[in-house]
Each structure stands twice: as structure tokens, then as C-alpha cells.
Amino acid sequence: MPADPLHRAGKSQRSTSQPTNGSRASAIEVRRSARRRRTVSAYREGDRTIVLIPARMSEAEERRWVTVMLDKLAAQESRRALGDTELAERARYLSAQYFDGRARPASVRWVTNQNTRWGSCTPSDGSIRLSHRLQGMPEYVVDYVLCHELAHLLVPGHGPRFWRLLEAYPRTERARGYLEGVAAAERLPHAPVARDE
């Protein structure tokens, strides 16, 4: 996987490898400001994370604050759980964005009875169901599962035509890797709990 680019405002630009975490945007731009004295802030701008820091910060402080702010943003995003209404709106948006609006679900909702699948779709009635286990995962992962199920409204099964259609979503591979990691972690044996004697 390529290193995440770290861009600085001004003349100098450098690229460093940031630890890849599902909740982090793919590009991080650090903007230094002479007017900023002590505060550090960050926000998402599309697929980019902007981190604002004082100009006087050292490289080590910059790296530390970028990590802190990425973690803060990820925590905020995971707390914002979408309800069924927002999930349906998100599905309509993704259909328009990646499938020219052709995938039109009749219903999109969270369910608690899917523990072995991330999502399911019934093309005959246009219903999409997402596992509650996705709640709190990064937005791009939920978007991938929605796109996956939207694609099933257009192409049943997982043949080559289906995967070509799903390639429209640019974070497909990254989201699949994230979900595979979660599934692998769930299969790991749990360490025995140490008991005080």
C-alpha cells in the first residue's frame, strides 16, 4: 500500500508513511500558521484531513499532534452512528455518485440478526440490510458495504460484471482489507484472563 502523503502549506512538501488506520483519510495536509500560538485543530475536507498547527512547532511535535488529531477525528466519527433514515439517504447519494442513480433501494436499514455477513440485499423487493456490527466503523467502510449491496440491485451474484461495477467506488480494496482484518481478529483465540489469587 502506498505511503500516505503528508503535505505542508508553503514551499516545502514531503511525503512520509503514516500508520494506516481505517479511520484516517488518505491524505493529510499540515498547515502552519504564525498567528496560531498554542491551539491545534483538524477537520476533514473530502478525502483529505487538514491539521492546523502553530508555525513554531518542531517536526516531532508536528508528528505527535497529527497522530493525536487523527485519533480525535476518528473517535468523533465513530460516535456519529447513522440511523435508518440517514443510512437510506447515504445509499441514495452513493447510488447517484457511483452508479448514475440506477441502484434504487426500496429500503435500507440496520439489522441485529446478521452476525456472519456485513450486509445483504434482496433485489426482488429492493431491500438492503446492514449488520449493526458496522456501526462505529469508519465511514468509508460503511459506504463500501452500501455500494456492495447497491451493486447487487443491478447485478445479482459476485461475477466479473459485479466486481467491475463495484470498482467505481474508489476505496473498495481498502475497505475490503479493513473488513478482512476485523473478521480475522474475531477468529483469534482470546487470551485467558489472569485472576488474582
Side-chain angles (χ1 to χ4, degrees):
M1 184 175 279
D4 292 340
L6 181 62
H7 300 286
R8 294 172 150 233
K11 292 184 217 168
S12 63
Q13 281 193 353
R14 65 185 168 91
S15 182
T16 63
S17 176
Q18 293 288 330
T20 56
N21 173 319
S23 62
R24 295 182 179 169
S26 60
I28 302 158
E29 182 178 332
V30 176
R31 295 180 186 167
R32 291 176 173 263
S33 169
R35 288 187 291 179
R36 190 174 280 271
R37 297 286 175 216
R38 288 184 284 180
T39 61
V40 176
S41 61
Y43 60 93
R44 303 276 195 218
E45 191 174 85
D47 199 25
R48 181 185 289 314
T49 301
I50 310 298
V51 181
L52 307 168
I53 64 172
R56 62 171 176 70
M57 273 194 181
S58 69
E59 294 286 322
E61 288 175 309
E62 175 185 316
R63 283 190 299 277
R64 184 177 76 79
W65 276 105
V66 165
T67 300
V68 166
M69 297 313 289
L70 288 173
D71 289 343
K72 268 188 171 182
L73 282 174
Q76 287 171 356
E77 289 166 353
S78 71
R79 283 192 296 268
R80 273 188 304 217
L82 299 173
D84 287 349
T85 302
E86 294 88 2
L87 198 60
E89 288 172 10
R90 189 72 188 158
R92 282 191 291 279
Y93 167 80
L94 293 168
S95 176
Q97 184 83 14
Y98 300 111
F99 305 114
D100 298 320
R102 294 178 296 135
R104 294 186 191 104
S107 68
V108 183
R109 62 190 175 94
W110 295 107
V111 294
T112 57
N113 63 350
Q114 289 191 88
N115 294 315
T116 59
R117 289 192 269 178
W118 298 114
S120 62
C121 172
T122 307
S124 62
D125 68 7
S127 64
I128 291 176
R129 295 159 305 282
L130 296 191
S131 172
H132 72 285
R133 296 180 308 139
L134 289 165
Q135 292 175 328
M137 287 191 188
E139 186 177 86
Y140 77 92
V141 175
V142 176
D143 283 355
Y144 162 73
V145 177
L146 276 171
C147 284
H148 185 106
E149 302 310 331
L150 287 166
H152 278 309
L153 292 176
L154 304 173
V155 179
H158 292 103
R161 192 168 151 240
F162 171 83
W163 292 110
R164 277 193 305 276
L165 187 62
L166 196 52
E167 285 174 1
Y169 182 64
R171 295 177 128 190
T172 291
E173 288 306 312
R174 187 173 184 195
R176 288 184 70 189
Y178 184 96
L179 292 171
E180 287 170 8
V182 170
E186 289 173 351
R187 289 189 301 269
L188 291 174
H190 296 290
V193 177
R195 296 187 183 186
D196 294 333
E197 294 183 29

